[in-house]
């Protein structure tokens, strides 16, 4: 397995042989023996390149996980468990762009033996099917088959541009939103029903407008282009709000905040790369008032 994985990473049997201080024919025989044992072809060889078959791609992912787990287990038995290997991480697009990626340099410098493979999508990906180690999700977790660890809170605000409010006026209560163009994020569990915390409890308002989308990036662009009012995470527009480019309204009626969770599969063994990244984000978010 080690020879197979390194052959893919180095794209060369000869390079693996030099690394392992053996010969190229020995590495070739190891890979051939592995294919014979599995009964499938893993690699397509040419004079200049190694490429994976479909079976090889699937097996390569398993081998990476297995070898990383072996290394973690050995380090743990030696009493110095270390964060190593590839951390396959999932999160929503804009949250990843604005809150995860800018922090990765600090994490990688702290844990130089960890590589990050980041998958960003504005939907709840299947952790098992996508082969992910960890997902960062905003909102309540419904899947009891997964372990969730709360690492932050997404406070939300009601915003639009000053230009929009100059044209349409400012709502004074949540109920007045029915007279405005509201930008709806269709992947929100409540859809176009916006919830606000008032003095007398929760206020629910059915909103509407001329634009809705399943993309967090499109929500941001629509707000900035004067298309209407949106209820959004404050971190999505923190800089624009601070500069005065956007105006927050209905400050006496706070949209319901959403928890931020780190979510991962149940297992008897959790690699250090997972726990270290969760602890790192939790520490980071404690220092950031937006999350």
């Amino acid at each position: 397995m080690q020879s197979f994985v390194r052959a893919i990473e180095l794209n060369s049997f000869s390079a693996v042989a030099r690394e392992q201080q053996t010969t190229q024919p020995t590495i070739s025989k190891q890979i051939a023996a592995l294919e014979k044992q599995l009964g499938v072809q893993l690699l397509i060889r040419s004079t200049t390149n190694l490429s994976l078959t479909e079976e090889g791609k699937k097996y390569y992912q398993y081998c990476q996980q297995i070898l990383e787990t072996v290394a973690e287990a050995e380090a743990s038995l030696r009493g110095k468990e270390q964060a190593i290997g590839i951390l396959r991480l999932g999160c929503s697009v804009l949250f990843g762009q604005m809150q995860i990626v800018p922090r990765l340099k600090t994490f990688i410098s702290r844990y130089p033996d960890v590589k990050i493979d980041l998958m960003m999508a504005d939907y709840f990906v299947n952790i098992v099917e996508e082969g992910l180690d960890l997902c960062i999700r905003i909102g309540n977790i419904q899947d009891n088959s997964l372990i969730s660890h709360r690492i932050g809170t997404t406070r939300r605000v009601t915003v639009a541009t000053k230009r929009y409010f100059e044209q349409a006026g400012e709502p004074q209560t949540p109920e007045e939103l029915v007279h405005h163009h509201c930008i709806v994020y269709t992947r929100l569990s409540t859809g176009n029903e916006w919830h606000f915390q008032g003095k007398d409890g929760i206020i629910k308002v059915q909103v509407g407008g001329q634009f809705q989308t399943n993309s967090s990036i499109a929500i941001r662009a629509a707000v900035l282009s004067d298309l209407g009012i949106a209820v959004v995470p404050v971190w999505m527009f923190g800089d624009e709000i601070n500069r005065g480019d956007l105006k927050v309204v209905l400050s006496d009626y706070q949209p319901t905040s959403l928890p931020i969770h780190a979510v991962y599969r149940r297992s008897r063994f959790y690699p250090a790369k997972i726990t270290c990244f969760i602890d790192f984000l939790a520490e980071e978010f404690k220092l950031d008032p937006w999350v």
Side-chain angles (χ1 to χ4, degrees):
M1 282 187 183
Q2 288 174 333
S3 296
F4 169 63
V5 168
R6 289 302 287 158
I8 297 305
E9 293 174 344
L10 299 176
N11 194 35
S12 167
F13 284 1
S14 298
V16 179
R18 288 193 295 272
E19 185 178 83
Q20 296 186 10
Q21 297 183 333
T22 185
T23 64
Q24 186 271 339
T26 299
I27 300 300
S28 182
K29 288 177 181 178
Q30 289 179 353
I31 304 300
L34 188 60
E35 290 177 320
K36 183 178 179 180
Q37 177 181 329
L38 296 170
V40 297
Q41 183 179 0
L42 299 173
L43 292 171
I44 300 172
R45 305 160 179 80
S46 71
T47 55
T48 59
N49 190 51
L50 297 175
S51 59
L52 289 167
T53 63
E54 286 302 315
E55 293 84 359
K57 291 177 183 178
K58 185 181 298 184
Y59 190 65
Y60 175 65
Q61 292 179 343
Y62 280 117
C63 286
Q64 286 181 308
Q65 296 172 11
I66 290 167
L67 293 172
E68 289 168 15
T69 302
V70 169
E72 290 274 0
E74 291 176 348
S76 176
L77 290 174
R78 290 194 296 268
K80 49 179 182 179
E81 187 174 358
Q82 298 175 346
I84 61 173
I86 299 174
L87 178 65
R88 297 170 184 85
L89 176 67
C91 66
S92 61
V93 176
L94 203 58
F95 190 78
Q97 178 181 320
M98 301 185 73
Q99 295 297 327
I100 300 296
V101 173
R103 291 180 160 93
L104 291 183
K105 184 177 181 180
T106 301
F107 177 80
I108 291 171
S109 64
R110 190 178 300 178
Y111 301 101
D113 293 326
V114 177
K115 297 179 180 179
I116 305 294
D117 182 353
L118 178 61
M119 174 184 178
M120 299 197 299
D122 279 340
Y123 58 89
F124 279 7
V125 299
N126 187 305
I127 293 179
V128 177
E129 289 182 0
E130 297 292 345
L132 298 178
D133 299 304
L134 180 68
C135 275
I136 308 302
R137 291 181 175 173
I138 298 174
N140 296 314
I141 305 301
Q142 307 295 334
D143 191 344
N144 293 326
S145 68
L146 301 173
I147 301 293
S148 63
H149 183 79
R150 185 163 180 168
I151 58 174
T153 299
T154 287
R155 184 169 61 86
R156 297 191 295 164
V157 290
T158 309
V159 299
T161 59
K162 290 183 176 180
R163 183 176 179 182
Y164 172 82
F165 288 131
E166 288 171 359
Q167 296 172 345
E170 294 183 21
Q172 302 302 310
T173 65
E175 289 83 0
E176 293 181 20
L177 289 171
V178 298
H179 304 300
H180 284 265
H181 294 298
C182 293
I183 302 168
V184 175
Y185 182 52
T186 55
R187 290 200 177 276
L188 195 66
S189 60
T190 56
N192 68 334
E193 183 180 86
W194 289 357
H195 296 180
F196 299 86
Q197 181 65 51
K199 295 179 181 179
D200 299 321
I202 298 294
I203 300 172
K204 300 179 181 180
V205 182
Q206 292 282 340
V207 300
Q210 294 175 293
F211 180 71
Q212 63 181 28
T213 179
N214 67 347
S215 166
S216 55
I217 292 178
I219 291 285
R220 176 176 163 81
V223 171
L224 293 176
S225 61
D226 313 315
L227 205 53
I229 300 177
V231 166
V232 295
V234 68
W235 52 259
M236 187 183 290
F237 292 107
D239 291 339
E240 288 82 2
I241 292 171
N242 288 340
R243 289 198 304 263
D245 298 336
L246 293 183
K247 185 169 185 179
V248 176
V249 295
L250 301 178
S251 56
D252 292 333
Y253 304 90
Q254 288 295 318
T256 305
S257 296
L258 299 175
I260 304 172
H261 288 103
V263 182
Y264 48 99
R265 292 171 283 181
R266 293 183 182 274
S267 174
R268 289 182 298 174
F269 177 75
Y270 297 107
K273 62 185 179 182
I274 294 178
T275 54
C276 287
F277 193 76
I278 292 173
D279 291 343
F280 168 76
L281 280 188
E283 290 175 9
E284 287 283 304
F285 290 173
K286 281 181 182 178
L287 303 175
D288 189 334
W290 293 348
V291 286

